[in-house]
Each structure stands twice: as C-alpha cells, then as structure tokens.
Amino acid sequence: MQDEKSMSVTDPLQNASDTRTGAGTATAADATAGPPATPPARLKAMLAVAMAATFMAAMDSYIVNVAIPSIRDDLDASVSAAEMTVGGYIMVYGLFLVTGGRLGDIVGYKRMFLTGLGLFTAASLCCGIAPGPEVLIAFRCVQGFAAALFFPQTLSIIQTSFEGSRRDRALALFGVTIGLAAITGQLIGGVLVHLDLFGWGWRPIFLVNIPLGLVAIAGAALTMPGFRGVRRPRLDLPGVALLTLALLLWSFPLAEGRTAGWPLWCLLLMALSVPCFVAFGWWQRRLSASGGQPLVSPPLLRLRGFRSGNALFLAFFACNAGLFFVLAIQLQSGLGYSALKSGLLFTCLGVAFTATTMALPKIMPRLGLHVLTAGYGLNAVGYLLLLLTALIAGDSLSGPMLVPALLVIGLGQGLGVSPLLGTALTEVPPQDAGSAAGVLETVGQLGMSVGVTLVGLVYFTTLGDSDSQHAYAHAFTVTLVLNLALSLLALAFVSPLRKAAAMAAG
C-alpha cells in the first residue's frame, strides 16, 4: 500500500499538459474517448475558463447574503422573500446537479457547459433588472438550474482531460476556487452594494456576472474539447423524477420552514422525502442489475472513500454556510455594520485561506493526506476560538474580536478544501466522472441548505423578538455551539476518507 505521505498535490497549473491521449490502460480507453494531445497553453486556458465559471456558480450562493437588507428596502420584500433569493438558488442548484452531470455524459461536456453558462448569464441579467421580489426569486431559481447544468462539467472535463498528479493539481485548483468564491463572495457583495454603481444599489451583484459570463462562454468555445464517453448513456428519466421529487420534498421545507413557523405541512413533506429517496435507491439498483444506465451508478456508493468524502462535504458545507449566513446577520443587524464593513471582516479569512493554499505545494510532500487531518482539525479549533471569544466578550462582542478565530478557520480551510475533491474522487472511474461530480456537489448544496436552516433556526429561535445587543450576542454564542459540533463531525470523516484514498492509490 502506498504511504499516505507520498500522495501529494502541487501547483495546479504546473505541467498541465499531461493529458489522457490514449496511451493509458485498456479499461480507461474502452470507457472514454480521450481527446487528442492538447498544447499546454490551450490546457491552461481551458482550466482558467472552467475555474472562472466555477467561481461564478459558487460565489452566487454567498454574494447575496450581505445584500439582503438592501434588497428588502428597495423591493419592499418580506423576510421570507428576501431569504428565498438565497435559498431558491441553493435549492434548485442542488435539485439538478446530478441530472446536469449525467446530461454532460450524454450530450457532451462542452455543449452542456456552454448551454448552462449561457442560460446563467441571461438569468443574471434578468435578476439584475427584476422589478419585484417575485421576479427576482423566479430568476434566481433559473440561475440555480443553469449553474447545475454547467458546474458538474468542470469536474468531468478535469477527470477526462488530465491524468495522475496533473489531475490532482487541477482538482486542487477547483477546490481552491470554490473556497475563494465562498469567502470573497461576501466581500464582493459588500463592496458592490456600498459603491451603489449608477445608483443601482444591490443590482450589480447580479449584473457583474454578465461580462464574466460572456468572456467565459467565448473562452470555452475556443478551448474546451467536444468530449464525452464512447458509450453514450441514456438519461434515466424515472431516476431523475424520483431524485428531483425527493430533493424537492426535503429542500423546500428547509428553505421556507423557519419563516413559515414550521407548520405541519413542512414536517410532512420532509417525512415524505424519505420513501422517495428509498424508491430512488431501489430503482437505481434494479436498473443497474438489468443492464440499464442509472442516473447514479450504485457501485459508486460502495466506494468507501467516495462515501466518506460525501459525508465530509455534507458536514463541512453545513458548518461553513451556517456560519457565513448568521455572521452576516449578526454583523449588520446585531452590531449595525454596513454591508461593506461586514464584507471586509471576511477578508482576514480569505487572506489566510489564500496564503495557506499557496503554501500547500510545499506542505503536501511532508504531510501527504495527513494535511486533511491538519486542515479540518484547525478548522474545528477556529470554531472553538470563536465560541470562547463570544463567551468571554459577552455583550461587548465586536467584529475585530472575531478576527483571530477567523484567521485560524481560514488556515484550516486552506489546508483542507483544496485536496478534498481529488481525494474523494480517487476511486471513481472516468466513465462515472459526471454523475460522481454531480453527487458530490449535490451533497454539498444539501449541506448548505441544512446548515443555513439549522444554524438559522437556532439563531432566530434564541433571538426571539428582541432587538437588544444582549439578545444578539447571546443568540450568536448559542449558535456557535452548533457550528463547533458540525466542524467536529466533519473532522470525524477525515480518517476513513484518507485511508481509503491511500489504499486506492497503492
């Protein structure tokens, strides 16, 4: 078995020219139709385009957080409507990621990437000119659907265009991009709202996607290969229907339950999602056993590393999204910070994340996959420091007091996020790249929904109707207990993931 320390991730763009050219194993050649040898400059350009699109999709899950007060004031939107501008995107995004991944396997990764990115850019324009909250929510849902079409193709293109350590580097860059988008999304949103460009208030947070999207579309058309598997799979329509229904029954109550007061129908819908998930699993096994082509290949779920990676994704993104959501509210509503000042506080986390990620190529050869333990361990320590800071400061809690803990969280996430994707996909065969990417990101989106809902529920339930500084400080402190528990849960899944990846590599 290969020693865990010998598995490393280095510069994502270095030596990106090592591609799948047909000289690989017979199994890989049979399963996929690899692209011809691609010049290094084109590969780097292709990777840059894919990362730009990835950044937009991930950023749009976070950028609206700091703009919610501005959206409410401008559109006279209710709390529920304002929160659905965040929740609607996340919910629909999560609903269709697995389907989007499989559609890429069927019609081609490039075609689906361009289709989704074009629709996302158009939807961003419609969000930016929305006259009311209903229209804004509708086009945020369209944005989420479009992102679900192009986002899985990025991982599929990486899996099929790069090989070995070069693939690890590209996956590392993918993880870095997601982490930076999550962290800087708050800052970018705060800056754009503060600048009030052309007197448009919050609208530039969506309109900024238009030039980025057009450039990415042009870049993808010029650089990405028209590539898909030799065996063109069919779309498992019953599987799509069952999975979409199950995810909708689970996600919609999570998005609406708190503001609706958790009525009985919310609990019933969530309960009904369970038999739908069971039925989906049964159908996938039956279709696979009969020689069909299921939406999610059942053997994927038997891979220990893939299962552990999904569990870690769920816990980590629940913890991260929950903190970002509540911290933005705490800073603006509890401490009276502006959107800009609130966004700037996340800069320290972003700086620590970026600096650690840049140092990762020198750290990985020494630690190997133990870097995951160090990363998610530091992440948990950071949440513990946040909790202790809140307990000690009490009602005098202020933004600058949180900086040391946020720095530690940034350091931990810089170590842990980048190698996570590559490690979780170590055992996945190339022909299942699309559906595996969709499953991983769907689990991450579900984690975000669960995190925002659970952490938000604890926060607002503890806060009650009070608007005093004491009430806000107390609610934030209680909420951090849940965040710490989620960070420890994520850490618990690191060991089985690391061991499974080491065994697969050996």
Side-chain angles (χ1 to χ4, degrees), residues 16-36:
S17 60
D18 187 359
T19 62
R20 187 178 302 277
T21 61
T25 63
T27 301
D30 292 340
T32 58

Side-chain angles (χ1 to χ4, degrees), residues 229-271:
V230 171
R231 295 176 299 169
R232 183 171 180 175
R234 297 177 180 177
L235 185 61
D236 173 19
L237 291 177
V240 169
L242 283 170
L243 181 60
T244 302
L245 179 60
L247 290 171
L248 182 62
L249 288 172
W250 176 260
S251 300
F252 184 72
L254 284 178
E256 285 291 290
R258 187 188 62 79
T259 52
W262 292 104
L264 180 61
W265 63 264
C266 280
L267 303 179
L268 288 176
L269 288 181
M270 293 179 73

Side-chain angles (χ1 to χ4, degrees), residues 61-62 90-91 93-95 97 247 250-251 254-255 277 309-325 438-456 482-483 486 489-490:
S61 296
Y62 295 92
I90 294 174
M91 179 180 69
Y93 187 23
L95 285 178
L97 275 165
L247 290 171
W250 176 260
S251 300
L254 284 178
F277 278 118
N310 275 280
L312 202 162
F313 255 65
L314 183 69
F316 172 73
F317 280 104
C319 180
N320 202 47
L323 174 69
F324 284 9
F325 175 71
V439 170
L440 272 172
E441 188 57 27
T442 296
V443 169
Q445 291 300 311
L446 283 177
M448 291 175 63
S449 296
V450 170
V452 169
T453 300
L454 289 181
V455 175
L482 176 57
N483 279 112
L486 289 170
L489 182 62

Side-chain angles (χ1 to χ4, degrees), residues 291-336:
Q293 297 168 334
L295 186 64
V296 177
S297 177
L300 278 179
L301 303 181
R302 292 196 288 269
L303 299 175
R304 183 186 177 194
F306 187 68
R307 290 199 313 269
S308 299
N310 275 280
L312 202 162
F313 255 65
L314 183 69
F316 172 73
F317 280 104
C319 180
N320 202 47
L323 174 69
F324 284 9
F325 175 71
V326 166
L327 184 56
I329 295 173
Q330 175 69 15
L331 292 173
Q332 293 187 65
S333 299
L335 299 178

Side-chain angles (χ1 to χ4, degrees), residues 371-440:
V371 74
L372 291 170
T373 305
Y376 291 98
L378 274 175
N379 184 58
V381 169
Y383 279 100
L384 177 60
L385 287 176
L386 269 183
L387 176 58
L388 292 175
T389 301
L391 285 170
I392 294 171
D395 295 352
S396 62
L397 181 69
S398 65
M401 293 181 182
L402 304 176
V403 169
L406 292 176
L407 284 171
V408 175
I409 291 175
L411 290 172
Q413 293 184 3
L415 290 174
V417 171
S418 175
L420 175 58
L421 278 166
T423 308
L425 292 171
T426 298
E427 302 169 291
V428 175
Q431 64 267 27
D432 290 321
S435 58
V439 170
L440 272 172

